[in-house]
């Protein structure tokens, strides 16, 4: 019998799915595995300057709603935010993982529109912070202002700190898996550029005032 294109190969002899399970792949299982078993030390742990910046921009008088939007699954994203000391700034209702926007994902326009609808905001009221050019371009096309995080030492006129060499190499290795999506500060979709997330506050102060 001819299988439809894209169908998985048959299970090996003597192998069967657990009782009640009809699919070989359960996204919830992957999410759970990633959140418990991946090496989160490569994120570098909390950056005191970044945490301080988030504390500043989350003050009530700034009237900003902080939203996390990731193509990773929810438990994994929550764990990553916890590991870098930022989980407290993103309550569950303001955290959007890929499983929250299916069948879309970034950079699909539909995924952005779904998030905007959930938080009750218009694109022109939002600022998108990203290290992905594809996501930056979609955000800009929808009417958002954009901030590109290009990586330490990559901004024109920037300088590289030796202690960050390992983290920067990790970023380069990650970019190798997504050709054509490496940060490009010359792209017209980019409104502002920072090297690291802790510098976002300076841009927001310039745009929104102290």
């Amino acid at each position: 019998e001819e299988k439809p294109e894209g169908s998985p190969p048959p299970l090996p002899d003597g192998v069967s799915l657990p009782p009640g399970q009809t699919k070989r792949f359960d996204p919830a299982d992957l999410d759970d595995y990633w959140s418990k078993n991946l090496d989160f030390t490569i994120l570098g742990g909390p950056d005191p300057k970044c945490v301080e910046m988030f504390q500043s921009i989350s003050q009530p008088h700034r009237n900003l709603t902080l939203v996390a939007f990731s193509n990773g699954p929810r438990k994994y994203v929550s764990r990553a935010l916890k590991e870098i000391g930022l989980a407290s700034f993103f309550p569950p209702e303001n955290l959007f993982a890929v499983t929250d926007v299916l069948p879309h994902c970034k950079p699909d326009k539909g995924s952005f529109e779904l998030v905007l609808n959930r938080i009750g905001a218009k694109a022109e009221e939002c600022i998108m912070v990203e290290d992905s050019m594809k996501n930056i371009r979609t955000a800009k096309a929808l009417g958002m202002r954009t901030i590109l995080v290009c990586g330490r030492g990559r901004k024109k006129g920037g300088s590289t700190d030796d202690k960050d060499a390992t983290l920067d190499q990790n970023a380069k290795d990650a970019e190798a898996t997504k050709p054509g999506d490496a940060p490009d500060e010359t792209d017209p979709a980019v409104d502002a550029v920072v090297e690291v997330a802790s510098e976002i506050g300076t841009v927001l102060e310039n745009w929104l005032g102290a």
Side-chain angles (χ1 to χ4, degrees):
E1 181 182 354
E2 185 176 347
K3 296 284 187 180
E5 185 177 352
S7 296
L11 291 171
D13 291 340
V15 176
S16 61
L17 296 174
Q21 183 172 325
T22 58
K23 297 181 179 179
R24 299 189 196 184
F25 172 73
D26 186 342
D29 290 341
L30 178 64
D31 189 4
D32 191 60
Y33 180 85
W34 278 12
S35 67
K36 293 177 180 177
N37 296 280
L38 292 190
D39 180 12
F40 288 90
T41 62
I42 65 172
L43 299 177
D47 175 354
K49 291 183 179 179
C50 189
V51 174
E52 182 180 350
M53 183 276 296
F54 270 91
Q55 290 172 337
S56 174
I57 67 174
S58 62
Q59 294 299 310
H61 74 276
R62 294 190 179 274
N63 198 30
L64 293 175
T65 298
L66 303 182
V67 177
F69 180 20
S70 171
N71 270 348
R74 176 169 281 269
K75 287 183 180 179
Y76 162 78
V77 176
S78 296
R79 172 75 185 276
L81 288 171
K82 180 179 179 181
E83 292 293 330
I84 59 177
L86 302 181
S88 63
F89 300 106
F90 301 98
E93 65 272 18
N94 287 351
L95 192 161
F96 294 87
V98 68
T99 43
D100 298 312
V101 298
L102 291 174
H104 303 287
C105 68
K106 294 190 296 184
D108 296 347
K109 178 182 176 183
S111 68
F112 286 80
E113 291 175 334
L114 193 152
V115 172
L116 289 170
N117 182 61
R118 294 267 184 90
I119 64 174
K122 298 178 181 178
E124 56 268 26
E125 299 171 334
C126 299
I127 298 170
M128 188 73 177
V129 180
E130 265 286 355
D131 62 357
S132 160
M133 290 308 305
K134 293 178 182 179
N135 298 338
I136 283 275
R137 293 180 189 118
T138 300
K140 188 63 177 177
L142 286 169
M144 300 183 198
R145 280 188 283 185
T146 62
I147 301 175
L148 173 66
V149 182
C150 65
R152 194 179 297 277
R154 300 188 189 186
K155 185 179 178 182
K156 290 182 179 179
S159 59
T160 303
D161 190 330
D162 289 341
K163 70 184 178 67
D164 295 298
T166 299
L167 291 178
D168 192 56
Q169 185 58 52
N170 287 333
K172 291 179 180 178
D173 292 342
E175 284 169 13
T177 68
K178 49 179 185 177
D181 200 28
D184 177 9
E185 61 183 281
T186 67
D187 193 290
V190 176
D191 292 320
V193 184
V194 297
E195 291 192 346
V196 291
S198 60
E199 300 171 351
I200 296 168
T202 301
V203 175
L204 295 180
E205 287 179 1
N206 291 335
W207 286 355
L208 308 176

